[in-house]
Short mmCIF file of all heavy atoms in Angstrom, two decimals:
data_model
loop_
_atom_site.label_atom_id
_atom_site.label_comp_id
_atom_site.label_asym_id
_atom_site.label_seq_id
_atom_site.Cartn_x
_atom_site.Cartn_y
_atom_site.Cartn_z
N PRO Y 1 102.81 105.62 95.32
CA PRO Y 1 102.42 104.58 94.36
C PRO Y 1 100.93 104.54 94.08
O PRO Y 1 100.51 104.24 92.95
CB PRO Y 1 102.90 103.28 95.02
CG PRO Y 1 104.01 103.70 95.91
CD PRO Y 1 103.62 105.05 96.42
N LEU Y 2 100.11 104.82 95.09
CA LEU Y 2 98.66 104.83 94.88
C LEU Y 2 98.23 105.99 94.00
O LEU Y 2 97.22 105.91 93.28
CB LEU Y 2 97.92 104.91 96.22
CG LEU Y 2 97.91 103.63 97.07
CD1 LEU Y 2 97.21 103.90 98.39
CD2 LEU Y 2 97.23 102.49 96.33
N ILE Y 3 98.99 107.08 94.02
CA ILE Y 3 98.61 108.28 93.26
C ILE Y 3 98.99 108.15 91.79
O ILE Y 3 98.20 108.47 90.90
CB ILE Y 3 99.26 109.53 93.88
CG1 ILE Y 3 98.61 109.83 95.24
CG2 ILE Y 3 99.12 110.74 92.95
CD1 ILE Y 3 99.25 110.98 95.97
N VAL Y 4 100.20 107.70 91.51
CA VAL Y 4 100.70 107.71 90.13
C VAL Y 4 100.42 106.42 89.36
O VAL Y 4 100.52 106.41 88.13
CB VAL Y 4 102.22 108.00 90.09
CG1 VAL Y 4 102.51 109.38 90.64
CG2 VAL Y 4 102.99 106.94 90.86
N ASN Y 5 100.07 105.35 90.08
CA ASN Y 5 99.85 104.07 89.40
C ASN Y 5 98.48 103.50 89.75
O ASN Y 5 98.11 103.42 90.91
CB ASN Y 5 100.94 103.05 89.80
CG ASN Y 5 102.27 103.34 89.14
OD1 ASN Y 5 102.33 104.05 88.14
ND2 ASN Y 5 103.33 102.80 89.70
N THR Y 6 97.76 103.12 88.72
CA THR Y 6 96.48 102.43 88.90
C THR Y 6 96.51 101.03 88.31
O THR Y 6 95.64 100.23 88.59
CB THR Y 6 95.34 103.22 88.25
OG1 THR Y 6 95.64 103.43 86.85
CG2 THR Y 6 95.15 104.58 88.93
N SER Y 7 97.51 100.75 87.49
CA SER Y 7 97.64 99.43 86.88
C SER Y 7 98.15 98.43 87.92
O SER Y 7 99.17 98.68 88.58
CB SER Y 7 98.60 99.49 85.70
OG SER Y 7 98.80 98.21 85.14
N PRO Y 8 97.49 97.29 88.11
CA PRO Y 8 97.92 96.31 89.12
C PRO Y 8 99.35 95.81 88.93
O PRO Y 8 100.03 95.49 89.91
CB PRO Y 8 96.90 95.18 88.97
CG PRO Y 8 95.71 95.81 88.34
CD PRO Y 8 96.25 96.87 87.44
N ASP Y 9 99.81 95.71 87.69
CA ASP Y 9 101.15 95.17 87.46
C ASP Y 9 102.25 96.19 87.70
O ASP Y 9 103.43 95.88 87.55
CB ASP Y 9 101.27 94.62 86.03
CG ASP Y 9 101.06 95.69 84.98
OD1 ASP Y 9 100.42 96.72 85.30
OD2 ASP Y 9 101.53 95.51 83.85
N LYS Y 10 101.89 97.43 88.12
CA LYS Y 10 102.88 98.46 88.42
C LYS Y 10 102.85 98.88 89.88
O LYS Y 10 103.54 99.81 90.27
CB LYS Y 10 102.66 99.70 87.54
CG LYS Y 10 102.76 99.43 86.04
CD LYS Y 10 104.14 98.93 85.65
CE LYS Y 10 104.23 98.69 84.15
NZ LYS Y 10 105.56 98.15 83.76
N LEU Y 11 102.05 98.19 90.70
CA LEU Y 11 101.95 98.53 92.10
C LEU Y 11 103.10 97.94 92.90
O LEU Y 11 103.68 96.92 92.52
CB LEU Y 11 100.62 98.04 92.68
CG LEU Y 11 99.34 98.71 92.16
CD1 LEU Y 11 98.12 98.07 92.79
CD2 LEU Y 11 99.36 100.21 92.44
N THR Y 12 103.41 98.57 94.02
CA THR Y 12 104.41 98.04 94.94
C THR Y 12 103.70 97.26 96.05
O THR Y 12 102.47 97.18 96.09
CB THR Y 12 105.24 99.17 95.56
OG1 THR Y 12 104.36 100.11 96.20
CG2 THR Y 12 106.03 99.91 94.48
N LEU Y 13 104.48 96.70 96.97
CA LEU Y 13 103.90 95.85 98.01
C LEU Y 13 102.90 96.60 98.89
O LEU Y 13 101.80 96.11 99.16
CB LEU Y 13 105.01 95.26 98.87
CG LEU Y 13 105.75 94.06 98.30
CD1 LEU Y 13 106.97 93.73 99.14
CD2 LEU Y 13 104.84 92.84 98.22
N SER Y 14 103.27 97.80 99.34
CA SER Y 14 102.38 98.55 100.22
C SER Y 14 101.07 98.88 99.53
O SER Y 14 99.98 98.71 100.10
CB SER Y 14 103.07 99.83 100.69
OG SER Y 14 104.22 99.53 101.45
N ALA Y 15 101.16 99.36 98.30
CA ALA Y 15 99.94 99.69 97.56
C ALA Y 15 99.15 98.44 97.20
O ALA Y 15 97.92 98.46 97.21
CB ALA Y 15 100.31 100.46 96.29
N GLY Y 16 99.84 97.35 96.90
CA GLY Y 16 99.14 96.12 96.56
C GLY Y 16 98.39 95.54 97.75
O GLY Y 16 97.26 95.05 97.61
N LEU Y 17 99.00 95.62 98.94
CA LEU Y 17 98.33 95.11 100.14
C LEU Y 17 97.10 95.94 100.48
O LEU Y 17 96.15 95.43 101.07
CB LEU Y 17 99.30 95.10 101.32
CG LEU Y 17 100.43 94.07 101.26
CD1 LEU Y 17 101.35 94.23 102.45
CD2 LEU Y 17 99.86 92.65 101.22
N ALA Y 18 97.13 97.23 100.11
CA ALA Y 18 95.96 98.07 100.38
C ALA Y 18 94.72 97.58 99.63
O ALA Y 18 93.59 97.83 100.06
CB ALA Y 18 96.27 99.52 100.00
N SER Y 19 94.93 96.86 98.52
CA SER Y 19 93.80 96.35 97.75
C SER Y 19 93.10 95.20 98.48
O SER Y 19 91.99 94.81 98.10
CB SER Y 19 94.26 95.87 96.38
OG SER Y 19 95.18 94.79 96.49
N LEU Y 20 93.73 94.65 99.52
CA LEU Y 20 93.10 93.58 100.29
C LEU Y 20 92.08 94.11 101.28
O LEU Y 20 91.33 93.34 101.87
CB LEU Y 20 94.17 92.77 101.05
CG LEU Y 20 95.12 91.93 100.19
CD1 LEU Y 20 96.18 91.29 101.06
CD2 LEU Y 20 94.36 90.86 99.42
N GLN Y 21 92.09 95.42 101.50
CA GLN Y 21 91.13 96.02 102.42
C GLN Y 21 89.82 96.29 101.68
O GLN Y 21 89.79 97.04 100.70
CB GLN Y 21 91.67 97.32 103.02
CG GLN Y 21 92.85 97.09 103.95
CD GLN Y 21 93.32 98.37 104.59
OE1 GLN Y 21 93.36 99.42 103.96
NE2 GLN Y 21 93.69 98.30 105.87
N GLY Y 22 88.74 95.67 102.15
CA GLY Y 22 87.44 95.85 101.51
C GLY Y 22 86.75 97.12 101.97
O GLY Y 22 87.12 97.73 102.98
N GLN Y 23 85.73 97.53 101.23
CA GLN Y 23 85.00 98.74 101.57
C GLN Y 23 84.13 98.54 102.81
O GLN Y 23 83.99 99.44 103.64
CB GLN Y 23 84.13 99.18 100.39
CG GLN Y 23 83.37 100.49 100.63
CD GLN Y 23 82.59 100.93 99.40
OE1 GLN Y 23 82.63 100.27 98.37
NE2 GLN Y 23 81.89 102.04 99.51
N HIS Y 24 83.53 97.36 102.93
CA HIS Y 24 82.64 97.09 104.05
C HIS Y 24 83.22 96.08 105.04
O HIS Y 24 82.87 96.09 106.21
CB HIS Y 24 81.29 96.56 103.53
CG HIS Y 24 80.61 97.51 102.58
ND1 HIS Y 24 80.08 98.70 102.99
CD2 HIS Y 24 80.41 97.44 101.24
CE1 HIS Y 24 79.55 99.34 101.95
NE2 HIS Y 24 79.75 98.59 100.86
N GLN Y 25 84.06 95.19 104.57
CA GLN Y 25 84.65 94.18 105.45
C GLN Y 25 86.04 93.82 104.94
O GLN Y 25 86.28 93.79 103.73
CB GLN Y 25 83.77 92.93 105.53
CG GLN Y 25 84.27 91.89 106.52
CD GLN Y 25 83.37 90.68 106.58
OE1 GLN Y 25 82.55 90.47 105.68
NE2 GLN Y 25 83.50 89.88 107.62
N THR Y 26 86.95 93.57 105.87
CA THR Y 26 88.31 93.20 105.53
C THR Y 26 88.64 91.84 106.14
O THR Y 26 88.36 91.61 107.32
CB THR Y 26 89.31 94.25 106.06
OG1 THR Y 26 89.02 95.52 105.47
CG2 THR Y 26 90.74 93.86 105.70
N ASN Y 27 89.21 90.97 105.33
CA ASN Y 27 89.66 89.67 105.82
C ASN Y 27 91.03 89.86 106.46
O ASN Y 27 92.06 89.78 105.80
CB ASN Y 27 89.72 88.66 104.66
CG ASN Y 27 89.91 87.24 105.15
OD1 ASN Y 27 90.55 86.99 106.17
ND2 ASN Y 27 89.33 86.28 104.43
N TYR Y 28 91.03 90.12 107.76
CA TYR Y 28 92.27 90.48 108.44
C TYR Y 28 93.31 89.36 108.46
O TYR Y 28 94.51 89.65 108.34
CB TYR Y 28 91.96 90.95 109.87
CG TYR Y 28 91.27 92.28 109.91
CD1 TYR Y 28 89.91 92.38 110.17
CD2 TYR Y 28 91.98 93.46 109.66
CE1 TYR Y 28 89.27 93.61 110.19
CE2 TYR Y 28 91.34 94.69 109.67
CZ TYR Y 28 90.00 94.76 109.94
OH TYR Y 28 89.37 95.98 109.94
N PRO Y 29 92.95 88.10 108.59
CA PRO Y 29 94.00 87.07 108.49
C PRO Y 29 94.73 87.07 107.15
O PRO Y 29 95.95 86.91 107.10
CB PRO Y 29 93.20 85.77 108.69
CG PRO Y 29 92.04 86.17 109.54
CD PRO Y 29 91.67 87.54 109.04
N ILE Y 30 93.99 87.28 106.06
CA ILE Y 30 94.63 87.35 104.74
C ILE Y 30 95.52 88.59 104.65
O ILE Y 30 96.65 88.54 104.14
CB ILE Y 30 93.58 87.37 103.62
CG1 ILE Y 30 92.69 86.11 103.70
CG2 ILE Y 30 94.25 87.45 102.26
CD1 ILE Y 30 93.44 84.82 103.54
N LEU Y 31 95.01 89.72 105.16
CA LEU Y 31 95.79 90.95 105.13
C LEU Y 31 97.06 90.82 105.96
O LEU Y 31 98.14 91.27 105.54
CB LEU Y 31 94.93 92.11 105.66
CG LEU Y 31 95.60 93.49 105.71
CD1 LEU Y 31 96.05 93.93 104.31
CD2 LEU Y 31 94.65 94.52 106.31
N MET Y 32 96.95 90.21 107.13
CA MET Y 32 98.14 90.03 107.97
C MET Y 32 99.12 89.04 107.35
O MET Y 32 100.34 89.19 107.48
CB MET Y 32 97.72 89.54 109.36
CG MET Y 32 96.96 90.56 110.19
SD MET Y 32 97.90 92.07 110.54
CE MET Y 32 97.14 93.20 109.35
#
């Protein structure tokens, strides 16, 4: 899903949750 889709409205749960991971810091309670 990350390879073939870049549009947010076409992402699946796994790919969508990956967007919660920040480049420098991740809010782990929100991610969990």
Side-chain angles (χ1 to χ4, degrees):
L2 286 177
I3 290 176
V4 297
N5 285 341
T6 57
S7 176
D9 62 337
K10 300 299 181 182
L11 293 178
T12 57
L13 281 170
S14 297
L17 290 177
S19 63
L20 292 175
Q21 292 183 321
Q23 182 176 359
H24 302 290
Q25 185 179 17
T26 300
N27 192 327
Y28 290 104
I30 302 299
L31 180 60
M32 291 300 103

